Amino acid sequence: MTFGPPDHISDLDTLPRMPVWVTSARAETLEDVAFLSGAALNHLHLVLGRAEVPQALLRDRIALRAAEACLAFSGRSERAGELRDAVHLLRPGDLPGPAGETYLHWRRSVEWPVSIKALDRALPTIEPGQIAAWLDAGKGARVCRGVMVLETVLTEAPRTDVAALILADTAIAQALGWDHLVPLLAAGLKRADLRKRGDDLRFACHRALISSAVEAVRLSTELARRAAHLKAVAPKLRAKGAGEAVDMFLTRDAVAPSALPLPDRAARRLCDRLVELGAVRELTGRDTFRLYGV
């Protein structure tokens, strides 16, 4: 596989920016916040349709934020670095622990196109029939479907915050015609919001979607630039297997050198070279057990 620099790297600046009136408006009523969340989701829909945006990488990074939020809801303190360690430094036979499991639920939920089978992989402790039944609870307008799924799951299974939020995001993705789930609700909600019902929950979810869509658009622009740079420097890499390694960096939030399709020493050299070229970053700040990402 070969890569070349984008024909017009400056074209990345043409990615549509979220209108200021969406980010600065203060919604006081359910009608107002619903209008703004619709505008924000429509704008995100346009950005997600752009070829410059590394979609799998974007979803994987947003999944990390969703996992952080869910752990905070349950009173745990693990942050992004600890979650990356829990998953990416696992050895065969190791268990990821509760925090790592939460992160894996979210990572698996965004990895495959939306389907009951894919959700069963992400939520293996829930019967596929139950997953389908909860998704069927979503009726009405697009965001309302997600809110109804969230409320139904939280009411019937109060201790399943992660599953409830994954299925609610799934309902919204299906309503918007997206092939993959994009985690949006968890990072924008507060712990107290999960106890709300009816219009109060709808208001909180619309508000969460606005803030998360704004952040997703910002992150899309950032990752599009960084991905373009990685593709531009890829021809300078001499190591055998470098093309496959670049593909991994373009689809994963973090990569351990041991996961790359190269011998250990060659993998570490490749990562160091990519850091020198400004194409990836070392994410841990450690001298050993390092992780790298775009």
Side-chain angles (χ1 to χ4, degrees), residues 6-16 50 52 221 224-225 228:
D7 292 334
H8 303 286
I9 292 181
S10 60
D11 284 353
L12 297 176
D13 294 328
T14 67
L15 281 175
R50 297 292 290 263
E52 307 97 306
T221 302
R225 288 197 178 97

Side-chain angles (χ1 to χ4, degrees), residues 176-199:
L176 293 171
W178 294 349
D179 291 335
H180 289 77
L181 180 160
V182 179
L184 294 174
L185 285 171
L189 289 171
K190 299 175 182 177
R191 186 177 184 178
D193 291 332
L194 299 180
R195 297 192 292 272
K196 296 176 179 177
R197 297 294 182 266
D199 285 351

Side-chain angles (χ1 to χ4, degrees), residues 112-195:
W112 301 95
V114 170
S115 68
I116 298 299
K117 183 177 180 180
L119 290 168
D120 184 42
R121 283 194 290 261
L123 302 168
T125 62
I126 301 176
E127 291 294 326
Q130 182 64 78
I131 291 174
W134 278 335
L135 284 177
D136 285 343
K139 308 293 182 184
R142 288 163 177 80
V143 174
C144 287
R145 295 184 202 179
V147 178
M148 290 179 70
V149 171
L150 180 62
E151 184 167 352
T152 298
V153 180
L154 290 176
T155 300
E156 295 183 5
R159 296 182 181 275
T160 58
D161 293 355
V162 174
L165 289 161
I166 287 175
L167 294 177
D169 277 326
T170 298
I172 292 172
Q174 289 178 318
L176 293 171
W178 294 349
D179 291 335
H180 289 77
L181 180 160
V182 179
L184 294 174
L185 285 171
L189 289 171
K190 299 175 182 177
R191 186 177 184 178
D193 291 332
L194 299 180
R195 297 192 292 272

Side-chain angles (χ1 to χ4, degrees), residues 37-51:
S37 74
L41 287 172
N42 179 68
H43 191 83
L44 177 59
H45 180 83
L46 296 176
V47 170
L48 293 178
R50 297 292 290 263

Side-chain angles (χ1 to χ4, degrees), residues 29-45:
T29 67
L30 182 57
E31 181 181 15
D32 288 342
V33 76
F35 173 77
L36 290 173
S37 74
L41 287 172
N42 179 68
H43 191 83
L44 177 59
H45 180 83

Side-chain angles (χ1 to χ4, degrees), residues 22 24 32 73 142 168 276:
V22 173
S24 61
D32 288 342
F73 295 154
R142 288 163 177 80
E276 289 175 7

